[in-house]
Each structure stands twice: as C-alpha cells, then as structure tokens.
Amino acid sequence: MKHSAPRGRQLKRLAFVGAAVVVAGLLVAPSSGTAQPPADPGTPPGVDEVASTPNIKQVAYLPKTGPFANSTNSDWAFQGHYAFGGNYNGFTVYDIKNPKAPVVAAQVLCPGSQNDVSVTGDLLFLATDSQRTNDSCNNSASTLAAPGDRWEGIKIFDISDPLTPKYLKSIKTDCGAHTQTLVPGKAGDNSAYIYVSSYNLAAADLPNCALPHDKISIIRVPLKDPAAAAVVATPVLFPDGGHPGGPSEEQQPTTGCHDITAYPEKDIAAGACMGDGVLFDISVRSAPRVITTVRDTVNFSFWHSATFNNRANKVVFTDELGGGGMATCNPEIGPTRGADAIYDIVGRGDNRKLEFRSYFKIPRLNTDFENCVAHNGSLIPVPGRDIMVQAWYQGGISVWDFTDSRAPKEIAYWERGPLSSTQFVSGGSWSAYWYNGFIYSNDIAKGMDVLELKDVRTNLARKARTDEFNAQTQDNFRNW
C-alpha cells in the first residue's frame, strides 16, 4: 500500500493539529486475537484469530487511539527507548523502555500521507506525499488551489524532548515525499542528507509532479542549524527514461523511485524504482551515481523496497504487486509474484552487477479478503547469517534466512486472521523491524504489536544494541 493511496487523498481535517497530545499510559493485554496453534499452510486463521510458529510470540499490543484510531499506520523509526510510528494523521511517540509494556507517550497531529518518519539526533523528519493547502500541521487536502500554492514534502521536528516534539521547518519537494532515506554526511560534514523518493503513476502531468519525473530530491540539513535545510540537488537518475513499462499492464514504468536504502559505511545505496532495481554509488552524498540497474519483466510489477545483507554483497528487493491493495498470497498469483527477489552483488567498483539468485514468498495461503504482498522489513543482527524480519500486510510477519541466496527459507511467522470473512478489508503489518532484541510491527488497522523471537538461529541477535534505527539507513551491525 505504500503506493496505492491516490495522490491528493482526502483526509479529515483535525481541529487541534500540531500539538503533542500526551496519552495516559495504555497497555492492552497481548493478542487482540485468540492464540491458535500454527496454521496449516492451506487453512488461514479466522477473524480475530492468531497463528504462529512456537518460536515467536506476541508480548504486547497497543491499539490505535484518539485521532489516529481510524487513520492508516505507516512506517517506524527508533531512538533510545522511544519508537516513532508514522500515521496518515501524524506520528505517535511510544515509550518502549519496557518492550513488554510499551505506552503511548505523545501524539503529534499533522495530516498528510504517508508520514514516513526518520530520526537523527534531536531531529525527526516527516514525509508528506499528498497535496496540502499549506505546510503547517493545520492543513487539509488540496485539490482546488493553484499548483504553486499546494504543498507537499518534508517537515522537520525537534525531538530533544520526545514527549513534546516541536515543528521547526518545511521543505517543499517536487512530487512530494513518498518515502525518505536519511544519509549522514561524511567525515567533516556535520549534515544529514535526505533522499526524497516520489513518483507519478498517472502517466500524465500532475500538479507539482510534471513528467518526466526521473529524479529524486536531495535535502541537506545542517545539524547545527536545521532551519537552514534546503534542497541542494535533484539528480536525474534515468536520463533514458528508465523502464517504459509492460509487457503486462501490471508492470509499472519508471517515473521516479519508490524507496532507496542506503548503506553509508559502504558508500552504496539500493533503489527500488518502480520498473527498475538500482545500485548506486553515494560516495558523494549530494550526487548519487547509478552503477547498475536490473529488471524483471516476468515476475516483478512494482519495485518497492530494498535491503542489503550486512556484508553488502546481496540485496533483497520487494515487489509490491497490486500496491498493497490486492490478495496476492493465493494459488492464482503463485510463489514468484508479489514476492522478494534476492540478488548477489558481483564484481567491484563500477563493474559491480546485480545477479538474480531466487525468489522468496511466505509459504502460506491467505483468504481472498486479505491484502498480502511483500512489504517492509529489516535485518536481524545475527553474525555470519543473513536473516530478516518482514511485514506482509495481512500475510503477517515472517522471519526468513537468505544466507544461501539460492535457497531462502522461513524460520518463523506470526499472523492475524483476516479483518473480515465476507468482504475485502485492507490492513495488516505495514512495517516489521528488529530493534534491540524485539520485533515491532505497525499494523495498518490494529496498532502496535511487539513480538519476541526465541530461536537458536537468532539468539546471538538478542543482545545487540543500537541507539538509533532507521530501516532505510543500514548500519554495519558488527559495530553495535
């Protein structure tokens, strides 16, 4: 669903926008569903039932509250003992000092899909990808204002006190900010760079998003003076126009990137750019350079996101077939569409190439009333192994091992049943990430889930600690 919401989507205007609303500590007993034994791959759990493997369990659950109760949850960022959860109406600050008893510490009302979040130091960045009447948090969806009067882009908040975030600055970007990637400056450059990914699915000029849109926007944020943040480059990544689309209607043409994952220590990034998978050199932060591209015109519809392994000699790309709004975990779609694709990075320097090795898709069937497709995940920091946790919307949360790129295998899963047994209702896990020993899932419809994984293959990861985590900014976990 990261690209399924229409641009300019109407959101209910909130009368008390922009203030941090502190909610009393709230903890609901885990599950929001009835625990069940592991499901047979052909028998999905029922409505309000939960199925999982024995090595993973839910240890906490918080439902969506207040003005976020009926709005879509999106991505995560983490810092210290706080989790920042995006929502189409703003973001929630969770205190996760005790992961088994998290509490809602604050809510910031600031409408604008998707509201992806990134954090660094005292700053939080919020990405807006719907045209708004203005750049404040007191805004509404804009469809009537002249194009130049519409706003979408990045907002910056001061989170030096996470309980009272303060809005500092906005930066307008062409075509909005669907996703964002935080890249720290190199030695001697006390800046953060934000790679802003956005795209145009309409195949026609749109206000604020004229074609051809074959670029990204790069914002430089001086960390000592964030109010001076500004767009410093808009590099054209696909001077030849990128993938033209087809041969099937499902295969999207490239008109920008959906998501970019950076590995700053290695000076590389991987781009999931609609019709293209891309490997970038980011040794010059404001001038990413394409090293190589790859296409899959047989099985991939929409290149959605990317994850490196820790050694950065593999990339997992995801295909968000149907934009997260379809039932694709069924026999009709099969095991190689709406899936992950594992590529090895071979060669050196500018001669590096991406070589396909295999697909991975969850080995369970969902009902026809559930949206299910590959979505956001992260590595689990297991030395010497390539293991990741991943959200699959209503397909649940999967932990899988791709150490052998040709033979990936699932080692754990946790799944809710459908939201309805009679009609299609979208929901499920948008993002599932590992942070300091636990898995945190932002469920579109339900809320926050915290899972604990106990498995001999991943036990080494339980003690790894980091002070900050943005999934699209990969660190070498051997430094944790």
Side-chain angles (χ1 to χ4, degrees):
M1 179 141 59
K2 273 224 168 184
H3 76 279
S4 62
R7 295 181 54 80
R9 170 177 174 167
Q10 296 288 335
L11 293 174
K12 182 178 179 181
R13 184 171 181 173
L14 299 168
F16 45 105
V17 174
V21 181
V22 179
V23 181
L26 174 65
L27 173 64
V28 175
S31 106
S32 91
T34 305
Q36 300 289 317
D40 181 286
T43 308
V47 175
D48 287 332
E49 292 181 349
V50 170
S52 72
T53 48
N55 55 352
I56 191 170
K57 67 177 182 179
Q58 183 190 49
V59 295
Y61 164 69
L62 287 177
K64 296 190 295 182
T65 61
F68 295 173
N70 296 312
S71 185
T72 297
N73 273 345
S74 58
D75 217 346
W76 284 118
F78 300 85
Q79 188 180 81
H81 61 86
Y82 292 101
F84 300 86
N87 179 283
Y88 278 42
N89 271 346
F91 64 92
T92 299
V93 183
Y94 297 91
D95 187 326
I96 56 171
K97 188 172 184 179
N98 180 354
K100 296 183 179 181
V103 295
V104 175
Q107 291 182 323
V108 175
L109 308 181
C110 201
S113 63
Q114 301 184 127
N115 279 340
D116 276 1
V117 289
S118 294
V119 294
T120 186
D122 291 338
L123 302 177
L124 178 144
F125 304 96
L126 192 68
T128 299
D129 188 42
S130 60
Q131 295 168 22
R132 317 305 300 176
T133 51
N134 60 64
D135 67 347
S136 77
C137 285
N138 187 6
N139 70 71
S140 58
S142 172
T143 57
L144 299 177
D149 295 332
R150 306 180 189 188
W151 185 90
E152 51 186 340
I154 295 288
K155 295 185 177 84
I156 304 177
F157 290 80
D158 181 334
I159 54 167
S160 52
D161 178 359
L163 303 186
T164 59
K166 298 176 182 178
Y167 181 25
L168 294 178
K169 164 83 174 179
S170 75
I171 305 97
K172 186 175 182 178
T173 56
D174 289 345
C175 215
H178 196 71
T179 62
Q180 55 166 309
T181 305
L182 190 150
V183 184
K186 304 195 77 170
D189 181 1
N190 191 26
S191 304
Y193 293 83
I194 308 294
Y195 292 178
V196 178
S197 295
S198 57
Y199 53 87
N200 182 343
L201 278 177
D205 283 354
L206 292 174
N208 295 348
C209 195
L211 291 174
H213 183 76
D214 296 318
K215 63 186 181 182
I216 61 172
S217 296
I218 300 177
I219 297 170
R220 178 177 175 269
V221 184
L223 295 179
K224 291 184 177 180
D225 184 15
V231 174
V232 294
T234 54
V236 174
L237 305 178
F238 307 101
D240 64 351
H243 192 311
S248 74
E249 291 183 0
E250 292 175 345
Q251 290 182 349
Q252 300 289 344
T254 298
T255 63
C257 290
H258 178 276
D259 214 338
I260 294 174
T261 294
Y263 199 147
E265 180 181 297
K266 309 286 188 181
D267 282 337
I268 57 172
C273 300
M274 303 180 71
D276 292 275
V278 186
L279 187 66
F280 297 101
D281 180 308
I282 59 167
S283 53
V284 179
R285 298 294 194 242
S286 60
R289 183 171 54 83
V290 174
I291 299 172
T292 189
T293 61
V294 66
R295 294 173 183 170
D296 182 343
T297 58
V298 176
N299 288 304
F300 259 44
S301 167
F302 189 93
W303 296 70
H304 175 275
S305 52
T307 303
F308 290 101
N309 68 335
N310 199 55
R311 292 177 59 196
N313 60 2
K314 301 175 188 175
V315 184
V316 174
F317 287 104
T318 68
D319 173 23
E320 195 189 36
L321 172 66
M326 285 175 52
T328 74
C329 297
N330 53 37
E332 290 74 23
I333 298 297
T336 59
R337 299 171 64 217
D340 297 317
I342 305 161
Y343 286 79
D344 284 355
I345 302 173
V346 299
R348 295 185 178 184
D350 287 351
N351 294 319
R352 282 173 285 188
K353 301 293 182 185
L354 292 164
E355 292 192 356
F356 173 77
R357 293 293 182 253
S358 65
Y359 297 106
F360 170 79
K361 192 171 183 179
I362 56 172
R364 288 170 301 289
L365 300 180
N366 274 201
T367 71
D368 289 336
F369 304 120
E370 297 174 276
N371 55 317
C372 175
V373 75
H375 213 238
N376 294 351
S378 71
L379 290 184
I380 296 178
V382 182
R385 306 292 297 179
D386 299 328
I387 299 175
M388 70 180 291
V389 58
Q390 186 175 4
W392 290 77
Y393 291 119
Q394 289 188 78
I397 296 161
S398 177
V399 179
W400 59 288
D401 188 324
F402 62 103
T403 306
D404 182 347
S405 347
R406 299 180 188 274
K409 59 184 179 181
E410 185 174 73
I411 63 176
Y413 78 89
W414 185 90
E415 176 188 11
R416 279 193 178 94
L419 292 167
S420 172
S421 61
T422 60
Q423 60 183 335
F424 185 90
V425 180
S426 290
S429 179
W430 179 294
S431 299
Y433 300 142
W434 178 277
Y435 180 68
N436 290 349
F438 291 85
I439 294 166
Y440 295 85
S441 168
N442 217 13
D443 188 287
I444 291 170
K446 294 286 190 177
M448 174 198 213
D449 293 300
V450 185
L451 307 178
E452 186 173 26
L453 177 66
K454 291 185 177 180
D455 188 288
V456 65
R457 292 162 289 191
T458 59
N459 280 345
L460 286 175
R462 291 168 60 84
K463 295 183 179 180
R465 293 292 181 268
T466 182
D467 292 330
E468 200 168 87
F469 180 82
N470 300 292
Q472 285 74 38
T473 310
Q474 284 193 230
D475 292 325
N476 185 341
F477 61 63
R478 289 189 174 275
N479 297 330
W480 293 4

